[in-house]
Amino acid sequence: MIQLDILCIGFLERDADGGILQAHSTSTLIRTGTRNIVVDVSTEYMWPAVKTSFRQIGIFPEDVDTVILTHTHSDHVGNLRRYPKAKVLVCGGGKTGIPGATVVEDDEFQVCPGVRIVRTPGHCTEECSVFVEADRRYVCAGDAVPLEANLREGKPPALNTDRRLAIESMDRIREYADVVIPGHGAPFVV
């Protein structure tokens, strides 16, 4: 049975003009029985919360065998060095900037039974989400859905490289998911 745990709930803080003052991604642990997979590792600022979650769950960062980065912006990769034994997976479509990462070029890639990487571009060209079949269908959406309001209101991420692709990616996530874990917020039911 696949189990998901939120290691930390990320957030965005904006100024009066809508510019980003600070951003920290949500980080999710997927346990499959044989695999420990972390989706997005967030920032140094969030590490105390992540560390506390690992303690409560009863595993260690060294037990993580795979890290999936929805994309390589700094607010999603800041704790990567804390997973020394993990294979790092990123989607292609641009320079990753992550030494040693495995680049997934396919539009869909099965990591293991019940867990697959799905390309969801729009926020950036290499954006992907992680579709998980567990007790429900979950999507770790990264910045394809940065906040619940983006999906609820049908608004693409404020920062995007292609508005049309961003909306198509959100539609794909909405069609699949029972629960969405946004890039910068708490999980919500679709």
Side-chain angles (χ1 to χ4, degrees):
M1 175 72 149
I2 295 177
Q3 193 170 352
L4 282 84
D5 297 285
I6 304 301
L7 297 173
C8 69
I9 296 174
F11 63 94
L12 288 173
E13 186 179 319
R14 296 186 182 276
D15 61 23
D17 297 323
I20 296 175
L21 293 173
Q22 59 176 321
H24 308 281
S25 76
T26 298
S27 184
T28 305
L29 173 66
I30 303 168
R31 294 182 284 163
T32 70
T34 59
R35 306 281 300 271
N36 292 315
I37 302 165
V38 171
V39 179
D40 289 336
V41 296
S42 199
T43 61
E44 289 285 332
Y45 177 84
M46 299 301 283
W47 183 248
V50 171
K51 192 165 58 171
T52 297
S53 294
F54 273 123
R55 252 188 266 127
Q56 291 172 341
I57 294 164
I59 68 169
F60 300 96
E62 295 81 15
D63 298 326
V64 173
D65 57 80
T66 306
V67 167
I68 301 170
L69 300 174
T70 59
H71 62 296
T72 58
H73 292 168
S74 62
D75 53 324
H76 293 258
V77 304
N79 289 311
L80 197 52
R81 66 180 176 79
R82 299 188 185 270
Y83 300 93
K85 296 181 180 175
K87 177 179 183 177
V88 179
L89 300 175
V90 298
C91 280
K95 292 185 178 183
T96 70
I98 307 294
T102 298
V103 179
V104 175
E105 296 291 352
D106 300 332
D107 286 343
E108 290 194 27
F109 174 79
Q110 183 171 309
V111 177
C112 62
V115 179
R116 62 192 165 105
I117 296 171
V118 177
R119 189 177 301 275
T120 52
H123 169 64
C124 58
T125 56
E126 73 273 12
E127 183 78 30
C128 66
S129 299
V130 180
F131 286 41
V132 181
E133 189 76 37
D135 58 325
R136 301 182 200 178
R137 293 182 305 184
Y138 294 85
V139 174
C140 301
D143 285 353
V145 179
L147 300 167
E148 180 177 354
N150 291 96
L151 195 67
R152 298 264 185 239
E153 298 168 17
K155 293 188 318 192
L159 299 173
N160 66 74
T161 57
D162 188 316
R163 181 180 171 81
R164 181 187 57 79
L165 283 176
I167 290 170
E168 287 175 7
S169 292
M170 288 192 312
D171 289 344
R172 186 173 192 182
I173 290 166
R174 185 184 295 108
E175 287 172 17
Y176 175 83
D178 297 315
V179 177
V180 172
I181 302 167
H184 297 277
F188 62 92
V189 175
V190 177

